[in-house]
Amino acid sequence: MATNLKNLSEYNPDEIPSGEGMKISIVLAEWNLEITGALLDGAVRTLLRHGVREKDIRVKHVPGSFELPLGAQLIAESGKPDAVICLGCVIQGETRHFDFICQGVTKGIADLNLKYGRPFVFGVLTTDTLQQAKDRSGGKHGNKGDEAAITALKMVQLKKSLE
Ligand code: DLZ
């Protein structure tokens, strides 16, 4: 797995744009809430650390990762955030649900980026086991929520720099 080689929470703070004035929405899947709640903590902590104001962070829940694209679209249309972070965790079980959900959420979020020309960040863990998910939501491989927050800040800054 590629993230074995990279700690998801490690970055150079000097390279991160200030989030002051940015409006960031977060959509959170309730499946595997122990994990997605930890992703949310990481994302919010990182946004606040880099200057996003608490009042500019909006969080909405959806039942599972499959619902993230529609949840993200609804939140994007209602509040006009600068970026939407999608947080979920899909764990490979014994069913083929894993493949179907991963395909749906990946394509759905990718499409939203291009449809709206705004960042919709893929903060979804797709792992073989619960332990691998724990390792990437505040464990030994860092927190994918941190990575998602940093990605949102960088992409909003990129968009603003081109306007
Ligand atoms: C059904 C399902 C299964 C089996 N596994 C997960 C999972 O590991 N992670 C996740 O976020 N959601 C899962 N779901 C729920 C689907 O995402 C979706 O909510 C339902 O299929 C209803 O559309």
Side-chain angles (χ1 to χ4, degrees):
M1 213 172 293
T3 51
N4 277 338
L5 305 173
K6 182 182 186 304
N7 186 301
L8 295 159
S9 300
E10 269 175 18
Y11 58 89
N12 180 353
D14 298 338
E15 291 173 2
I16 308 306
S18 166
E20 202 182 332
M22 290 184 191
K23 294 189 191 319
I24 310 288
S25 291
I26 299 175
V27 193
L28 178 82
E30 289 172 344
W31 260 77
N32 300 312
L33 193 56
E34 176 196 355
I35 302 295
T36 60
L39 298 178
L40 177 66
D41 291 345
V44 169
R45 197 177 46 238
T46 301
L47 292 173
L48 293 174
R49 183 183 300 143
H50 290 284
V52 180
R53 284 186 293 256
E54 200 166 352
K55 72 173 182 56
D56 290 330
I57 302 174
R58 191 176 182 208
V59 181
K60 291 286 178 188
H61 289 209
V62 293
S65 293
F66 191 78
E67 284 73 40
L68 284 171
L70 177 58
Q73 176 162 318
L74 293 172
I75 204 168
E77 288 187 348
S78 80
K80 299 272 183 285
D82 293 303
V84 181
I85 297 173
C86 303
L87 298 176
C89 172
V90 194
I91 299 175
Q92 173 96 67
E94 290 182 357
T95 72
R96 294 195 60 209
H97 259 94
F98 179 84
D99 296 327
F100 298 135
I101 295 168
C102 290
Q103 264 171 27
V105 67
T106 306
K107 171 93 168 62
I109 293 174
D111 287 352
L112 288 172
N113 279 274
L114 303 182
K115 174 175 174 184
Y116 288 94
R118 265 188 277 167
F120 288 76
V121 180
F122 186 79
V124 181
L125 288 171
T126 57
T127 63
D128 294 333
T129 66
L130 178 61
Q131 186 58 49
Q132 288 173 344
K134 286 182 178 171
D135 291 344
R136 291 160 178 77
S137 55
K140 68 180 179 188
H141 295 308
N143 190 326
K144 192 160 183 71
D146 294 344
E147 182 203 53
I150 295 298
T151 301
L153 295 170
K154 285 183 171 177
M155 290 304 292
V156 172
Q157 165 65 19
L158 172 66
K159 185 168 189 309
K160 285 184 188 295
S161 75
L162 296 170
E163 283 168 355

